[in-house]
């Protein structure tokens, strides 16, 4: 009989071996590759029933049990995913991008579903929101964590939480920045390598989040709202003189804090280009100055009411896009870092949006039809493992292409002009290999 198994499925079986070794039970070791093959393979819907119908019509019950009800611990597979992600793109030049992605959902029984702002829709909608961590180097992202944000309408209802199978340790209310910091601790404990943490203003506006990153000894660059308060870098703490009444007990700043957009109003703006896009070089106008963040303890200052005292020194960066949109950022990068490097670091965050889109459109992240906490997180884990496998293939193909180009170039006679000019486009710009 002729073997008609596609080459990628053979490769998937070999690549999944360390994951399967951690699963143990032979039924689970058979269902895991089947589920991931269903996510990667053709088909409009990537929920359990249509995948089972395409791949193994007689195994629907086992496949459903594996993902929704089976008694197995996802933590070993999550740990192996971190190992493989680090092997693929980890390093001091990698970035860890913190973000979240919304999945529209009907009804109110699915775990964590509630009216929430969905950035992909640009409005508030009934949806689930997953906090995501993406490890990326260059233009190659690997999603390493997806954790459900549980809204207050759920955390205030113990019966609802129990019915959806939310673990006891996840039933207390936690903000998205708190979830992100807990996941950062997990990936750091696993030894995953990255040089900088990036996040948008939804996380950057949180002083505890920024301080948490600093406490962990991490470099970071985060978006902030335009009204975020900062101090000039030369601010000093002085001892106020009381005009009457008791002597003052705390120092106050000698300069009042200002909004980020006001602080950069008179800065020197420059055109900066940071990488090639599909339509040419990407560029915008940037400005950066050293400031001190206004996230110290609150203190009443004369007759100005309470203000936060100066915190750590950081870069305040502004971006004016060609569309007219204005963005602002804080970064605890070294004071000697140049503007182009600051801009390129900040703009590296875009890669997580590509990963979110591919996980949904190609791998069915938002196709899960179950209602439980366990089923949702297992499905999300399978999509991340599938995505890491595809990035493994992508990098391997790029490596073979470069090797072939070097071999072709070395075979050219000396002094002879090659018949085809070598393209300068990055070999990593394609989203995924065609399967």
């Amino acid at each position: 009989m002729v073997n008609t198994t596609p080459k990628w499925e053979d490769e998937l079986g070999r690549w999944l071996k360390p994951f399967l070794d951690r699963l143990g039970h032979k039924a689970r070791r058979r269902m895991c590759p089947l589920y991931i093959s269903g996510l990667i393979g053709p088909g409009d819907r990537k929920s359990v029933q249509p995948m089972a119908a395409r791949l193994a019509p007689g195994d629907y019950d086992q496949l459903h049990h594996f993902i929704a009800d089976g008694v197995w611990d996802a933590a070993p597979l999550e740990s192996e995913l971190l190992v493989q992600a680090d092997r693929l793109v980890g390093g001091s030049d990698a970035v860890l991008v913190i973000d979240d992605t919304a999945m529209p959902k009907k009804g109110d029984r699915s775990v964590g579903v509630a009216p929430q702002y969905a950035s992909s829709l640009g409005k508030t909608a009934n949806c689930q929101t997953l906090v995501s961590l993406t490890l990326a180097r260059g233009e190659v992202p690997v999603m390493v964590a997806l954790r459900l944000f549980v809204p207050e309408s759920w955390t205030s209802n113990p019966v609802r939480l129990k019915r959806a199978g939310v673990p006891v340790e996840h039933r207390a209310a936690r903000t998205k920045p708190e979830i992100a910091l807990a996941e950062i601790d997990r990936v750091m404990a696993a030894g995953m390598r990255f040089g900088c943490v990036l996040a948008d203003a939804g996380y950057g506006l949180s002083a505890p989040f920024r301080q948490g990153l600093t406490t962990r000894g991490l470099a970071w660059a985060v978006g902030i709202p335009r009204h975020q308060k900062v101090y000039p870098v030369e601010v000093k703490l002085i001892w106020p003189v009381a005009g009457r009444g008791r002597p003052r007990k705390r120092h106050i700043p000698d300069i009042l804090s200002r909004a980020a957009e006001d602080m950069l109003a008179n800065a020197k703006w420059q055109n900066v280009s940071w990488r090639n896009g599909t339509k040419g070089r990407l560029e915008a106008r940037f400005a950066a100055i050293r400031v001190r963040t206004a996230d110290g303890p609150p203190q009443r200052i004369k007759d100005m009411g309470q203000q936060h005292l100066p915190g750590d020194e950081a870069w305040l960066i502004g971006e004016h896009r060609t569309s007219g949109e204005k963005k602002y950022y804080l970064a605890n990068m070294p004071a000697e870092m140049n503007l182009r490097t600051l801009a390129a670091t900040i703009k590296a965050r875009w890669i997580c949006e590509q990963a979110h889109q591919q996980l949904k459109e190609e791998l069915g992240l938002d196709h899960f039809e179950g209602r439980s906490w366990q089923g949702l997180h297992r499905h999300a884990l399978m999509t991340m493992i599938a995505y890491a496998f595809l990035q493994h293939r992508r990098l391997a193909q790029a490596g073979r292409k470069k090797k072939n180009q070097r071999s072709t170039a070395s075979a050219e006679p000396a002094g002879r002009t090659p018949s085809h000019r070598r393209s300068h486009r990055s070999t990593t710009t394609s989203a995924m290999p065609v399967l």
Side-chain angles (χ1 to χ4, degrees):
M1 179 181 289
V2 177
N3 183 7
T4 58
T5 304
K7 181 181 178 182
W8 70 265
E9 291 191 356
D10 292 337
E11 187 179 351
L12 174 64
R14 294 189 297 270
W15 188 82
L16 280 177
K17 186 179 184 305
F19 291 93
L20 302 183
D21 289 344
R22 293 182 180 235
L23 270 175
H25 194 279
K26 67 178 184 179
R28 295 194 290 266
R29 290 166 60 89
R30 189 169 72 89
M31 289 297 110
C32 180
L34 190 64
Y35 198 94
I36 292 175
S37 295
L39 296 174
I40 294 174
D44 292 334
R45 289 297 298 175
K46 304 295 177 75
S47 54
V48 178
Q49 188 170 8
M51 288 197 302
R54 288 192 296 269
L55 295 175
D59 287 335
Y60 166 75
D61 289 339
Q62 289 189 63
L63 198 63
H64 180 271
H65 180 76
F66 166 72
I67 207 69
D69 304 317
V71 182
W72 55 274
D73 186 5
L77 269 68
E78 293 171 342
S79 297
E80 185 61 34
L81 175 61
L82 299 181
V83 171
Q84 297 300 326
D86 183 78
R87 184 180 62 82
L88 289 170
V89 295
S92 59
D93 56 344
V95 295
L96 185 66
V97 187
I98 313 301
D99 205 341
D100 50 70
T101 185
M103 302 187 298
K105 197 87 170 178
K106 294 181 180 179
D108 60 1
R109 300 291 293 275
S110 296
V111 62
V113 69
Q116 303 172 72
Y117 180 75
S119 58
S120 58
L121 302 176
K123 62 180 182 180
T124 297
N126 210 48
C127 61
Q128 296 165 314
T129 299
L130 295 170
V131 175
S132 70
L133 273 67
T134 306
L135 184 68
R137 188 175 65 201
E139 296 180 19
V140 184
V142 178
M143 192 76 66
V144 295
L146 287 167
R147 284 286 183 266
L148 182 69
F149 166 69
V150 185
E152 191 275 336
S153 58
W154 279 78
T155 56
S156 61
N157 189 331
V159 174
R160 200 180 190 192
L161 293 169
K162 184 177 181 180
R163 184 176 60 198
V166 179
V168 174
E169 63 271 22
H170 293 288
R171 293 182 185 180
R174 289 197 301 171
T175 65
K176 294 175 187 176
E178 288 172 340
I179 295 172
L181 287 174
E183 290 302 294
I184 289 171
D185 288 338
R186 183 173 67 87
V187 303
M188 289 178 66
M192 199 174 74
R193 298 166 298 159
F194 54 91
C196 182
V197 176
L198 307 177
D200 66 11
Y203 295 83
L205 60 79
S206 168
F209 178 71
R210 299 194 306 268
Q211 292 163 353
L213 296 177
T214 301
T215 300
R216 289 163 173 79
L218 298 171
W220 50 264
V222 298
I224 55 170
R226 59 185 176 83
H227 52 73
Q228 174 73 44
K229 292 296 185 69
V230 294
Y231 288 92
V233 73
E234 64 272 11
V235 65
K236 293 181 176 61
L237 291 177
I238 60 173
W239 194 260
V241 177
R244 58 182 179 178
R246 292 178 295 179
R248 300 296 182 254
K249 296 182 178 180
R250 295 182 179 88
H251 290 82
I252 63 170
D254 62 344
I255 307 173
L256 294 178
S257 60
R258 298 171 61 189
E261 64 174 347
D262 295 336
M263 190 69 77
L264 284 170
N266 297 320
K268 181 181 178 182
W269 294 80
Q270 302 177 41
N271 285 325
V272 176
S273 175
W274 59 92
R275 71 174 181 87
N276 283 322
T278 55
K279 298 180 180 179
R281 293 293 293 175
L282 299 179
E283 63 178 13
R285 290 177 60 78
F286 283 86
I289 59 173
R290 298 292 287 179
V291 297
R292 289 182 65 179
T293 56
D295 56 10
Q299 170 65 38
R300 181 176 178 84
I301 301 175
K302 299 181 181 179
D303 58 349
M304 301 300 294
Q306 281 199 338
Q307 290 201 14
H308 287 276
L309 295 177
D312 294 334
E313 187 175 320
W315 281 106
L316 171 63
I317 305 128
E319 176 193 4
H320 288 181
R321 300 178 180 176
T322 53
S323 63
E325 190 176 12
K326 299 179 181 180
K327 295 288 186 179
Y328 300 91
Y329 312 89
L330 282 174
N332 70 338
M333 304 298 186
E336 61 273 14
M337 184 169 284
N338 62 57
L339 185 59
R340 185 182 182 282
T341 304
L342 286 170
T345 301
I346 288 166
K347 301 303 287 188
R349 197 193 67 80
W350 74 275
I351 200 71
C352 76
E353 297 174 7
Q354 180 196 75
H356 290 158
Q357 181 180 1
Q358 291 172 337
L359 280 166
K360 291 177 181 178
E361 295 180 0
E362 304 293 334
L363 300 173
L365 172 63
D366 54 349
H367 292 187
F368 183 67
E369 295 176 351
R371 293 173 172 173
S372 71
W373 170 281
Q374 179 172 267
L376 173 65
H377 282 89
R378 286 180 177 177
H379 173 76
L381 175 59
M382 294 298 119
T383 65
M384 290 189 288
I385 294 173
Y387 190 71
F389 167 69
L390 292 176
Q391 296 297 47
H392 155 75
R393 295 194 81 226
R394 174 183 173 186
L395 289 170
Q397 290 174 2
R400 287 192 293 268
K401 182 177 179 181
K402 288 180 181 179
K403 183 178 180 180
N404 291 338
Q405 288 173 339
R406 286 196 296 269
S407 299
T408 302
S410 64
E412 292 287 345
R416 180 178 173 183
T417 303
S419 57
H420 298 285
R421 177 177 293 180
R422 182 174 176 181
S423 172
H424 292 282
R425 185 186 303 174
S426 170
T427 56
T428 62
T429 54
S430 62
M432 289 185 179
V434 178
L435 301 181

